[in-house]
Amino acid sequence: LSGETEAKDVEKSTDPADYEIGTRDHYLAVWAQEKGLSYVEAESQERLETDKIALSEEEAIGYATVDKECGSVSNGSGYNVKTAFSADIRYIYRKTDGAITAIDNLADAKIYLPEVPGATAQISDPNIYQEERGFRISVTGTLSFTLENADVTQGGEFSSVETSGNQSNVITTAKTFAILFQQSDIQK
């Protein structure tokens, strides 16, 4: 029995809530859940990937969790719903000044509606572009959600609105959502 107890203690959790955000452990837990792996399997795969990264002596690998508002979707008649982007990021930075030089990988990149629980998003793979002030991360996708408001009308980015009782089920047109990820976004 003690052998079984020890084995359970060794296996690390794949629940990101068990780890501080912006850490490698949090990133690995998110990645493990996304890929359907154990923590140990995710750690092993991630190590294989990072071993292939050619770092200079002045560079290191860092981890961050980003969660930022990225605009809204609207029916064009005054009804707006805020959107947000979140992801765990593996990046490369200079040890001398902490400047981010590359984003290497995103785990569990998603668009969500902070004010509408239960919304779902169908999004493309993220695009990452280096800009003067940081990295632009964008995805294109559609959102599906239910609003507790029967007065919402179709139009603008609301391509479909079906009302039942006092609820409106909304599907949006495809839209590109983008954020700027900068050094100041790193949560430590």
Side-chain angles (χ1 to χ4, degrees):
L1 183 66
S2 66
E4 288 178 40
T5 304
E6 287 175 28
K8 285 182 184 174
D9 290 342
V10 172
E11 179 63 30
K12 292 179 93 173
S13 168
T14 58
D15 183 354
D18 290 342
Y19 304 102
E20 185 179 341
I21 64 168
T23 63
R24 181 174 185 262
D25 284 335
H26 190 272
Y27 171 87
L28 288 173
V30 167
W31 204 41
Q33 280 192 351
E34 183 180 37
K35 305 274 187 201
L37 304 171
S38 71
Y39 184 96
V40 171
E41 291 168 327
E43 187 173 39
S44 175
Q45 284 189 14
E46 199 253 356
R47 190 155 321 281
L48 290 172
E49 283 187 9
T50 57
D51 285 349
K52 295 176 186 173
I53 300 172
L55 298 174
S56 72
E57 286 185 22
E58 289 126 22
E59 292 179 316
I61 295 173
Y63 301 87
T65 300
V66 65
D67 194 345
K68 294 177 85 168
E69 196 173 300
C70 63
S72 64
V73 289
S74 167
N75 71 349
S77 299
Y79 203 91
N80 296 308
V81 181
K82 290 180 185 175
T83 58
F85 174 89
S86 74
D88 274 59
I89 297 175
R90 182 174 66 207
Y91 62 94
I92 298 167
Y93 68 96
R94 281 194 307 259
K95 293 177 188 175
T96 53
D97 60 4
I100 299 168
T101 58
I103 292 179
D104 179 58
N105 193 40
L106 299 179
D108 197 28
K110 62 184 170 224
I111 297 294
Y112 69 97
L113 306 176
E115 299 166 351
V116 184
T120 59
Q122 299 294 319
I123 62 171
S124 64
D125 287 337
N127 293 308
I128 303 168
Y129 303 99
Q130 187 166 8
E131 296 183 351
E132 189 176 323
R133 296 182 305 130
F135 291 85
R136 181 179 188 272
I137 303 170
S138 66
V139 296
T140 300
T142 61
L143 300 166
S144 302
F145 52 93
T146 301
L147 297 171
E148 299 296 325
N149 183 341
D151 296 334
V152 176
T153 58
Q154 184 173 328
E157 295 163 331
F158 290 17
S159 65
S160 169
V161 176
E162 292 181 12
T163 302
S164 175
N166 65 342
Q167 294 184 331
S168 296
N169 296 315
V170 178
I171 299 174
T172 67
T173 58
K175 180 178 179 172
T176 298
F177 302 93
I179 63 159
L180 184 65
F181 175 71
Q182 307 172 81
Q183 199 168 335
S184 60
D185 291 320
I186 297 173
Q187 301 176 16
K188 291 287 181 194

